[in-house]
Every structure is written in structure tokens, then in C-alpha cells.
Amino acid sequence: MRDVLRILIAPLVWLASFSAIYGLHGLICGHGISGEVFGMISLQRVLMASAWLLALAAQTALLWALHAPRFASPSSFVTFASRTTGWTGLVATGWSLFPTVITTYCL
């Protein structure tokens, strides 16, 4: 069971991050959160960029843990598969959530 968790943890964290960030986008637009930080950057963009960076940090920490010998599986296949899905989760987080950072405008 731990081996299945090692393999699936990164995609599950990506799924939770994806849902949370797009939910945050809906809250920002639905409740009309607006304003500026330091008079230059919109509060919407700061919130979305912070959430995206937090998701990237979580995936990076998870990937680091999957490469640590302490959390490694005795099976070489599970180690390879978990590291592969870890890298996939990191890339998916960067690629699929970045558009919310650069296109956060509510109409």
C-alpha cells in the first residue's frame, strides 16, 4: 500500500493544488477582491502568484522526499515510477497553473 502511495502522491498533490488554485480564482472573482499592493501590482495577481509558488514549493519538497533514501522503496520499479510521477507532478503544476497567474482578470 505504501508503494501505491509513493507512486500516486505527486499527481494527487497536483490535483489538490489545481482544484485549490482555480477555486481561489473563483473566490477572488466572485467576491470582487481587488486592490493594489505597493500601488503597482494587483492584489488578485499577488494572491494567485503566491498560491502558485506555494504549490510549486509543495511539489518540489515532495520530489526531494521521493529522492531521499529514507523514503525510498526496496523495489527499483517503485522508486523509478514514484520519481517519474514526482517530476511529472512538478512539471504539471508549473505548466497548468501558470496561466492563472498571468491571466487573473475578473470581468
Side-chain angles (χ1 to χ4, degrees), residues 74-100:
S75 168
S76 62
F77 172 75
V78 172
T79 300
F80 174 76
S82 64
R83 289 177 181 174
T84 301
T85 58
W87 280 105
T88 303
L90 180 63
V91 170
T93 300
W95 183 257
S96 66
L97 298 177
F98 182 67
T100 62

Side-chain angles (χ1 to χ4, degrees), residues 14-32:
W14 169 79
L15 177 64
S17 300
F18 187 88
S19 299
I21 288 175
Y22 277 95
L24 176 64
H25 187 264
L27 285 173
I28 287 171
C29 291
H31 290 289

Side-chain angles (χ1 to χ4, degrees), residues 38-88:
F38 303 117
M40 308 181 328
I41 304 170
S42 71
L43 181 60
Q44 298 169 347
R45 191 169 309 269
V46 169
L47 289 173
M48 294 303 291
S50 298
W52 179 63
L53 291 173
L54 183 64
L56 282 174
Q59 285 286 358
T60 302
L62 183 60
L63 186 60
W64 176 80
L66 289 172
H67 280 277
R70 178 177 178 204
F71 299 110
S73 173
S75 168
S76 62
F77 172 75
V78 172
T79 300
F80 174 76
S82 64
R83 289 177 181 174
T84 301
T85 58
W87 280 105
T88 303

